[in-house]
Amino acid sequence: MSTAIATTAGDLRRLAGRALRHEARTPDALMVNIALPVIIMLLFVYVFGGAITTGSSGLAYVDFVVPAVLLMAGRVRRRADGREHLP
């Protein structure tokens, strides 16, 4: 079992290294990938956050925004890499 975990960890390390080398070659994409989620998060939490209620669930608005921003950032990244095509 531990060899499977070690193999998976090694594979993840190699994939992360490849992704970081790719990002180093395209600094504009790196800026967009970092800036876009931050800007959208600030916009939806601080600008629109007071105007939106979550009802009687007792959850804060930010609990709904964070997963949405993470998914959106992932989709933007996939489209930038060419792994996802427009419908």
Side-chain angles (χ1 to χ4, degrees):
M1 183 70 177
S2 64
T3 58
I5 293 172
T7 303
T8 303
D11 291 344
L12 288 173
R13 188 172 44 248
R14 280 187 286 281
L15 287 173
R18 287 180 192 167
L20 289 174
R21 282 192 303 275
H22 178 71
E23 289 293 332
R25 292 185 203 119
T26 55
D28 57 334
L30 179 63
M31 292 305 294
V32 168
N33 290 334
I34 292 173
L36 184 68
V38 170
I39 291 170
I40 290 173
M41 185 70 148
L42 292 173
L43 179 73
F44 277 98
V45 171
Y46 292 109
V47 175
F48 300 130
I52 300 173
T53 61
T54 59
S56 62
S57 66
L59 296 173
Y61 178 67
V62 74
D63 293 335
F64 295 99
V65 173
V66 172
V69 169
L70 290 175
L71 287 172
M72 186 173 55
R75 281 200 68 156
V76 167
R77 181 69 191 150
R78 286 177 56 94
R79 284 194 178 169
D81 285 346
R83 292 181 288 186
E84 183 176 317
H85 303 288
L86 293 172

